Amino acid sequence: MATPLTPILTAHWDDPDSFTIDGYSRHGGYDALPKALAMEPDAVIGLVKDTGLRGRGGAGFPTGLKWSFVPQNDGKPHYLVVNADESEPGACKDMPLLMANPHALVEGIIITCYAIRARHAFIYVRGEVPHAIRRVAAAVREAYQAGHIGTNIHGSGFDLDVVVHSGAGAYICGEETALLDSLEGRRGQPRLKPPFPAVAGLYASPTVVNNVETISNIPYIIRNGVDWFRQFGTEKSPGFKLFSVSGHVRNPGVYEAPLGITMRELIDYAGGMREGSELKFWVPGGSSVPMLTAEHLDLPMTYEAMAEAGTMLGTATPMVFDQTVSVVKTVTRWLEFYKHESCGKCTPCREGTSWMTGLLETFEAGHGQESDLQIIDDICHQIAGRSFCALGDAAATPFPGAMKYFRDEFVAGTHTSADDAFNPVASTVLAGASTR
Amino acid sequence: MEIDDTTRDEVRAIIARYPETRSALLPLLHLVQSVEGSVTPDGIEFVAEQLELTPAEVASVATFYTMYKRHRTGRHHIGVCTNSLCALLGGDVVWKSLSDELGIGHDETTADGEFSIERIECQAACTHAPSVTIDWEYFDDATPASVSEVIAKLRAGEPVQSTRGPVIRDFRATEHTLAVTDDGLAGEGPSADHRMLAGLTAAKERGMALQDTAAPASSEGEN
């Protein structure tokens, strides 16, 4: 039997006021807050630990465990920083969530801050998405007016301030320590770890950095409990997930389903491949994870199954490409992105992305040297594991992943350009059915 | 640079949001950019004074982030995503047509000061590819024709609505929104458009149950 879709975070996005406090409260919104405030903070952490919820920003670290690393009774202020810097190529689930259901995040923030004993939270939203910023900032203001945020929240003695902060265009700020530097008014460059943010984060104080979707899960968990949450997904990948499916499917969009759904099922829900289209490759969770092919369509979309297949679930935001697409062009463009976004702090990433891009561009143009394929692979190995942060590892990912399945296309790049091999118009939305 | 009393009040309010004043740096750079259309040496000096930093410290931050422009930006800023997925689905075609129509290239501004264009990176709108932004507001599922039509309308002073947000104002107005985060426009546009609703629609068509009931949890797991 097919895995059913499970609209939870997305359940009421078709209400015209789903982004307002009235729209949210109509369906049980802010019911979790008094329930959480009646619990001991450590019990809230324990409950989230028991759900097995894993971070939805890409790394999949257990959320409750992360919270438990914050030292208590240390006399320092604690902070929650929500990472809303969604910029991973392929990922488009946090911005829709902020636009359609920002109060789930706000309620989640209040509960999380209560649990980790923070009285100050920041929502760091990438700057290029003003409408998402408006919606979440309006939600924060409404929550203040309703007394859900502020001093002595609902008589609990718990105080909280929430600030919405606009970024200014830098993919690297999605890396948690670069985000913290950026939030402190500096260049967004990653910090050496340890110390980890849970010990020395924002303003050198204990800080939890969590993704938008992760925190938005919290009210639903508090409201419905551990067993309810664990009925979805698998033992190691419990819960439900926003999958943004993009590319050559008939109905690209946001699909909410339990972890463990297969890509075949997701493509089916998305109306199948577009007319005349055949799947060539797909990427399960953003450009920073290795690509897969049709032979992987029946694997469960879980952290563990994707790792076993040699890739990662990442942000669980699959991109689907059909036979009209040049793998060489796709990978080259991704590398141009990593080169552009490398912060320049460490040499392997700064220099390596630049060299790889230059070499890949020769293959895209149809005059690559076959021996350079080995050099590009060597550069990947020099970057991966030797960079300051995960951006370097990510940059070293697309090329080896593509070579595994499409080496011939790179070899063809020694004599034929990507545009000659693949008519660039055929892959466009306007072209509709393929001409090849 | 002329800073009026309203802007000075906004500066104070922005700084007051943060436990440590330097955190106000990025929003203040958006604010001075909203006043001048770019981050000028005067703007940098002003921000440095407000935060008790040196101009060099502020400049080192301003030059790191791509949204801060160091030369004149047009009344409208148009971004075309040319990262892999959008490029393949039509972003490259849209970019070429836009660049040809306006006769300018990446990070350039038309002589009349109306438009600046930029090849931008992923906008978190891959489900709406090819993604274009007008003054950073979403202009989804773009085509050469739809972008050309927008240019004509903006030139003629006719209203252009973001596909998921408000009527387009101008580049400086958006920068102001980013600085202060409140412009009264949160209610514009739909809660979600058909692509954001694709999963919910598919679930409802198939009679799949909504799961977020406030009532006691059902124990009927499907897995």
Side-chain angles (χ1 to χ4, degrees):
Chain A
M1 195 184 115
T3 311
L5 295 168
T6 50
I8 296 165
L9 293 168
T10 58
H12 304 291
W13 288 14
D14 53 351
D15 285 358
D17 60 350
S18 71
F19 56 89
T20 67
I21 196 164
D22 290 344
Y24 182 64
S25 303
R26 191 184 308 131
H27 301 288
Y30 289 106
D31 284 359
L33 182 57
K35 211 171 155 182
L37 292 176
M39 294 166 71
E40 286 298 316
D42 283 342
V44 177
I45 296 177
L47 190 148
V48 172
K49 251 188 189 170
D50 290 346
T51 61
L53 171 67
R54 298 173 65 166
R56 303 305 197 213
F61 194 82
T63 305
L65 189 61
K66 193 185 246 189
W67 294 3
S68 71
F69 291 155
V70 172
Q72 296 304 335
N73 305 315
D74 56 346
K76 286 185 180 174
H78 298 174
Y79 297 102
L80 172 67
V81 176
V82 174
N83 185 344
D85 195 54
E86 180 170 55
S87 315
E88 171 75 13
C92 44
K93 46 101 180 166
D94 293 336
M95 294 305 120
L97 183 49
L98 289 180
M99 285 165 70
N101 192 8
H103 279 282
L105 174 67
V106 174
E107 188 179 13
I109 287 171
I110 306 164
I111 295 167
T112 305
C113 286
Y114 174 74
I116 65 167
R117 287 88 157 174
R119 70 159 314 274
H120 226 127
F122 297 88
I123 308 170
Y124 185 108
V125 194
R126 64 180 302 189
E128 302 97 319
V129 191
H131 208 48
I133 291 170
R134 283 184 191 106
R135 288 266 167 95
V136 71
V140 168
R141 283 193 300 277
E142 286 181 318
Y144 267 107
Q145 281 157 12
H148 299 321
I149 309 178
T151 47
N152 190 21
I153 296 169
H154 300 308
S156 63
F158 171 55
D159 302 340
L160 177 67
D161 280 308
V162 180
V163 175
V164 177
H165 181 92
S166 308
Y171 169 70
I172 185 62
C173 292
E175 197 281 335
E176 62 178 5
T177 62
L179 186 154
L180 294 174
D181 261 33
S182 180
L183 184 52
E184 290 183 1
R186 298 169 197 281
R187 298 164 76 96
Q189 293 186 314
R191 301 173 180 175
L192 200 58
K193 295 193 271 194
F196 288 91
V199 176
L202 187 66
Y203 312 131
S205 289
T207 303
V208 167
V209 185
N210 274 146
N211 168 265
V212 171
E213 187 185 349
T214 311
I215 296 294
S216 300
N217 267 265
I218 301 301
Y220 299 86
I221 284 173
I222 297 291
R223 211 191 294 168
N224 296 302
V226 173
D227 292 344
W228 171 82
F229 186 78
R230 279 195 167 274
Q231 75 177 296
F232 307 106
T234 64
E235 178 66 28
K236 288 180 179 161
S237 301
F240 39 87
K241 182 81 190 68
L242 299 180
F243 294 89
S244 62
V245 182
S246 62
H248 292 130
V249 292
R250 277 205 181 82
N251 302 317
V254 179
Y255 294 82
E256 190 170 14
L259 287 162
I261 193 169
T262 67
M263 193 62 211
R264 190 184 302 282
E265 291 170 325
L266 280 173
I267 291 175
D268 187 45
Y269 284 125
M273 300 296 289
R274 66 176 180 165
E275 192 70 33
S277 172
E278 196 183 307
L279 178 91
K280 181 171 176 179
F281 65 99
W282 61 286
V283 188
S287 61
S288 303
V289 310
M291 61 177 62
L292 296 172
T293 64
E295 66 182 277
H296 305 104
L297 284 176
D298 294 313
L299 294 176
M301 299 278 283
T302 59
Y303 298 98
E304 61 276 18
M306 290 294 111
E308 235 168 83
T311 183
M312 286 181 284
L313 185 65
T315 45
T317 52
M319 292 182 275
V320 177
F321 299 90
D322 73 10
Q323 78 282 5
T324 62
V325 169
S326 158
V327 171
V328 177
K329 183 190 251 187
T330 308
V331 170
T332 305
R333 206 58 76 86
W334 279 332
L335 259 298
E336 287 168 351
F337 164 75
Y338 290 111
K339 175 191 164 190
H340 181 253
E341 300 298 336
S342 174
C343 79
K345 182 164 180 162
C346 73
T347 310
C349 176
R350 182 185 65 240
E351 300 297 321
T353 51
S354 197
W355 279 100
M356 283 170 74
T357 304
L359 290 174
L360 280 167
E361 283 168 349
T362 66
F363 288 88
E364 187 185 355
H367 52 76
Q369 303 259 354
E370 194 169 339
S371 56
D372 284 347
L373 292 174
Q374 185 58 50
I375 293 180
I376 301 173
D377 196 56
D378 289 347
I379 298 172
C380 287
H381 285 98
Q382 294 300 327
I383 299 177
R386 292 175 166 82
S387 305
F388 221 86
C389 79
L391 191 149
D393 297 334
T397 292
F399 177 74
M403 282 287 278
K404 195 165 158 189
Y405 303 108
F406 300 103
R407 186 174 203 281
D408 290 353
E409 255 183 61
F410 287 92
V411 173
T414 59
H415 52 74
T416 306
S417 76
D419 282 356
D420 283 337
F422 296 88
N423 174 0
V425 175
S427 64
T428 66
V429 179
L430 286 177
S434 115
T435 54
R436 287 173 52 91
Chain B
M1 188 174 69
E2 291 289 317
I3 298 287
D4 61 20
D5 287 348
T6 312
T7 308
R8 285 190 188 281
D9 288 345
E10 287 167 350
V11 168
R12 277 189 284 273
I14 289 168
I15 293 174
R17 297 202 298 236
Y18 300 97
E20 297 197 9
T21 53
R22 184 166 175 158
S23 284
L25 181 46
L26 266 61
L28 290 188
L29 286 169
H30 282 303
L31 191 67
V32 295
Q33 182 152 270
S34 78
V35 174
E36 295 207 290
S38 64
V39 176
T40 63
D42 277 359
I44 286 174
E45 196 136 330
F46 174 77
V47 172
E49 277 168 25
Q50 305 306 309
L51 300 178
E52 296 178 1
L53 298 170
T54 67
E57 285 170 317
V58 175
S60 85
V61 174
T63 53
F64 183 83
Y65 297 92
T66 51
M67 287 183 81
Y68 301 129
K69 306 302 180 192
R70 275 166 288 160
H71 42 254
R72 189 180 69 147
T73 303
R75 191 158 67 92
H76 296 292
H77 172 277
I78 302 179
V80 180
C81 177
T82 53
N83 201 307
S84 304
L85 184 114
C86 274
L88 289 160
L89 268 71
D92 278 353
V93 180
V94 169
W95 170 258
K96 182 165 190 319
S97 137
L98 173 67
S99 174
D100 288 350
E101 177 172 350
L102 296 178
I104 53 174
H106 170 70
D107 209 16
E108 291 178 359
T109 302
T110 51
D112 62 4
E114 279 296 293
F115 299 104
S116 295
I117 62 173
E118 185 178 348
R119 292 165 65 102
I120 55 175
E121 298 298 356
C122 189
Q123 279 299 301
C126 317
T127 46
H128 299 68
S131 174
V132 162
T133 58
I134 317 275
D135 301 327
W136 297 116
E137 310 287 357
Y138 280 131
F139 192 73
D140 301 314
D141 298 291
T143 65
S146 72
V147 173
S148 186
E149 191 190 321
V150 163
I151 301 257
K153 280 186 173 169
L154 291 173
R155 277 216 166 105
E158 290 170 26
V160 171
Q161 179 110 27
S162 160
T163 45
R164 281 186 278 167
V167 170
I168 302 298
R169 298 168 299 160
D170 60 26
F171 175 72
R172 292 189 192 188
T174 298
E175 282 295 317
H176 187 257
T177 298
L178 298 180
V180 301
T181 72
D182 182 15
D183 58 12
L185 298 174
E188 298 295 309
S191 294
D193 71 349
H194 68 293
R195 298 207 189 284
M196 289 160 68
L197 291 173
L200 180 60
T201 306
K204 284 190 167 176
E205 280 169 4
R206 290 163 177 78
M208 293 168 178
L210 304 184
Q211 303 279 347
D212 79 330
T213 167
S218 133
S219 56
E220 294 167 33
E222 294 286 354
N223 294 319

